Amino acid sequence: MSLEFEAVQRPRIVVMGGGTGLSVMLRGLKEKPLDITAIVTVADDGGSSGILRNELHMPPPGDIRNVLGALADVEPLLSEMLQYRFSSGAGLAGHSLGNLILAAMTDISGDFVTGIRELSRVLAVRGRVLPAANQAVILHAEMEDGTVVTGESTIPTAGKRIKRVFLEPSNVEPLAEAVEALRQADAILIGPGSLYTSIIPNLLVPELAQAVVDSCAVKIFVCNVMTQPGETDNYTVSDHLDAVYDHIGHHIFDYVIVNDGEIPAQVQDKYAEKGAKAVHLDLEAVTNRGYKVIADRLVLFRTYLRHDADKLSHHIYQLVKNWMIRKR
C-alpha cells in the first residue's frame, strides 16, 4: 500500500444496493482507508419494514438498518441488538429492534434522513448511509407473459420470468446528497444483492441513474454467487449485466467482480433444494460486452454462502487505488 497514495486522499466510494449481500461487503470495506457512502434501496414492503412503512408512512427501514449495523464501529453486542427480532408479543412479533429504533428516530427528528444521520452518529458509523429517496416507493414487475406483479416482496414468489421492473412514482426524486456523492465519487460499486428488487430499483431513480452514467469514477459490478429463485433462475454473469443494461440503456460498468471458486457439492445440493444454483461465469460473453473481469475464490460457507468480505474488499480497494493512480 503506497503511503504517498494514502496521503493524497482517501478514495470516495459510493456503494449502491440493499439486502444481506451489501451489508456483508461493507463489513470488509469499512476496514479499508475509504470514504464510504452507501445509497440504499427503499422499495422493501415485506415483514417488519412493510408493517412500519404502512402504519407509520415512512420509508422501509430494514435495508438501512442492515447497512448501519455493518458500518457501525461499536461493541458487537450492540450490533447484535440492532438485528434482534422479537419472536413473540402482541404487535412486537416479527419486528427487529433496529427497525423500531429507526422508526422512533424518524418520529423524534421529524424526518427519515435526519433520523438515519442521528443514529449514524450514535453508532459511530464509518461513512454515510443515505436512502435512495426520502419516501417509500412501490416496485412493480412486468413478467414475460405480460402480467404485472406489485410489491418487492411479492415479485420473487410470482413463479414467472421477469421482463422488467419499474417504480411508482416513476419520477421519484433522490436525495440531493446522494446525487452529489455520485458526482464526487472516485468509485461506484453496485451489488451484490437481489438483482431486480435491491440493485436495479436504485438505478430506476432517474437522477441517480444519470449521475452514475455521467460519472468519471471507476464503476464496478459485484455479481451474486448464487442465482435467486423467482428473480434470476439460470442466470449467468452476462445475464445479470444485460438486465442492468436493458433497464438503464447504458453500458455503465468498467469491471465485474465474480466468484470462480468451487462450491462444495453438498452446499450446491442444499441450495438446489430451494431452486438456486451457482451463477455461471460465461467469460467470453462478458468480455465480448466490454467488461473487464476480476475472478477469485470469493465465498465462505457457514450457514449460508456469503462473499468473503476480506478478500472482496481487498480486490475492490486495489482496483480503486490503481485506477486513481493511473488518473493522476
Side-chain angles (χ1 to χ4, degrees), residues 113-168:
V113 175
T114 305
I116 295 169
R117 188 180 300 122
E118 290 302 310
L119 188 55
S120 296
R121 182 176 57 81
V122 171
L123 296 173
V125 165
R126 299 188 195 180
R128 286 189 300 166
V129 180
L130 302 171
N134 198 14
Q135 67 180 95
V137 296
I138 299 172
L139 186 67
H140 303 277
E142 180 186 355
M143 302 302 187
E144 291 285 1
D145 65 0
T147 59
V148 174
V149 177
T150 296
E152 182 268 350
S153 61
T154 307
I155 291 168
T157 65
K160 300 177 180 180
R161 191 171 178 87
I162 298 169
K163 180 179 181 182
R164 68 182 183 106
V165 291
F166 57 99
L167 296 180
E168 180 186 340

Side-chain angles (χ1 to χ4, degrees), residues 173-244:
E173 291 286 331
L175 292 182
E177 299 100 307
V179 176
E180 188 60 27
L182 287 166
R183 288 174 178 161
Q184 294 183 2
D186 298 305
I188 297 172
L189 184 62
I190 296 176
S194 299
L195 180 64
Y196 288 104
T197 54
S198 291
I199 293 174
I200 291 176
N202 285 327
L203 296 170
L204 295 178
V205 178
E207 283 188 57
L208 290 184
Q210 195 59 51
V212 173
V213 170
D214 293 343
S215 173
C216 294
V218 59
K219 299 162 195 173
I220 307 162
F221 182 75
V222 180
C223 192
N224 293 334
V225 174
M226 305 296 290
T227 62
Q228 183 172 353
E231 283 203 40
T232 55
D233 298 286
N234 298 313
Y235 270 37
T236 63
V237 173
S238 68
D239 288 329
H240 284 75
L241 294 163
D242 288 348
V244 176

Side-chain angles (χ1 to χ4, degrees), residues 3-325:
L3 292 177
E4 179 187 359
F5 172 76
E6 284 196 42
V8 172
Q9 72 179 106
R10 293 165 68 92
R12 293 165 296 193
I13 183 168
V14 176
V15 183
M16 302 177 73
T20 306
L22 178 64
S23 301
V24 170
M25 181 175 66
L26 287 171
R27 291 183 191 279
L29 286 177
K30 76 175 181 181
E31 302 301 332
K32 301 295 183 184
L34 294 167
D35 180 350
I36 300 172
T37 298
I39 299 175
V40 186
T41 183
V42 287
D44 191 5
D45 65 352
S48 171
S49 286
I51 293 170
L52 294 173
R53 165 184 171 144
N54 293 332
E55 293 188 358
L56 301 181
H57 307 290
M58 62 178 286
D63 284 338
I64 295 284
R65 179 202 78 235
N66 284 330
V67 170
L68 288 173
L71 291 174
D73 191 12
V74 293
E75 292 293 329
L77 182 60
L78 183 53
S79 290
E80 187 178 340
M81 187 175 70
L82 280 178
Q83 302 294 354
Y84 176 77
R85 194 172 297 274
F86 294 92
S87 59
S88 61
L92 276 178
H95 282 295
S96 75
L97 183 58
N99 285 0
L100 297 176
I101 291 173
L102 270 169
M105 291 298 293
T106 299
D107 196 38
I108 291 168
S109 66
D111 176 77
F112 187 54
V113 175
T114 305
I116 295 169
R117 188 180 300 122
E118 290 302 310
L119 188 55
S120 296
R121 182 176 57 81
V122 171
L123 296 173
V125 165
R126 299 188 195 180
R128 286 189 300 166
V129 180
L130 302 171
N134 198 14
Q135 67 180 95
V137 296
I138 299 172
L139 186 67
H140 303 277
E142 180 186 355
M143 302 302 187
E144 291 285 1
D145 65 0
T147 59
V148 174
V149 177
T150 296
E152 182 268 350
S153 61
T154 307
I155 291 168
T157 65
K160 300 177 180 180
R161 191 171 178 87
I162 298 169
K163 180 179 181 182
R164 68 182 183 106
V165 291
F166 57 99
L167 296 180
E168 180 186 340
S170 60
N171 60 344
V172 61
E173 291 286 331
L175 292 182
E177 299 100 307
V179 176
E180 188 60 27
L182 287 166
R183 288 174 178 161
Q184 294 183 2
D186 298 305
I188 297 172
L189 184 62
I190 296 176
S194 299
L195 180 64
Y196 288 104
T197 54
S198 291
I199 293 174
I200 291 176
N202 285 327
L203 296 170
L204 295 178
V205 178
E207 283 188 57
L208 290 184
Q210 195 59 51
V212 173
V213 170
D214 293 343
S215 173
C216 294
V218 59
K219 299 162 195 173
I220 307 162
F221 182 75
V222 180
C223 192
N224 293 334
V225 174
M226 305 296 290
T227 62
Q228 183 172 353
E231 283 203 40
T232 55
D233 298 286
N234 298 313
Y235 270 37
T236 63
V237 173
S238 68
D239 288 329
H240 284 75
L241 294 163
D242 288 348
V244 176
Y245 179 88
D246 290 343
H247 281 80
I248 310 307
H250 291 273
H251 179 112
I252 60 175
F253 299 114
D254 302 296
Y255 292 88
V256 183
I257 299 179
V258 300
N259 172 63
D260 71 349
E262 186 175 344
I263 298 171
Q266 66 269 27
V267 177
Q268 294 195 50
D269 291 343
K270 179 179 179 179
Y271 274 83
E273 291 173 4
K274 298 180 180 179
K277 66 179 184 179
V279 175
H280 171 64
L281 171 56
D282 47 344
L283 184 60
E284 184 176 356
V286 174
T287 55
N288 284 346
R289 287 161 170 76
Y291 303 104
K292 301 179 184 71
V293 176
I294 296 174
D296 195 0
R297 179 177 175 79
L298 295 174
V299 291
L300 295 172
F301 178 75
R302 293 187 176 95
T303 306
Y304 299 99
L305 274 173
R306 294 284 184 257
H307 276 97
D308 183 327
D310 291 337
K311 290 182 75 171
L312 181 58
S313 60
H314 171 77
H315 280 294
I316 292 166
Y317 182 67
Q318 290 300 318
L319 196 162
V320 174
K321 185 178 75 169
N322 293 337
W323 177 277
M324 292 181 65
I325 289 172

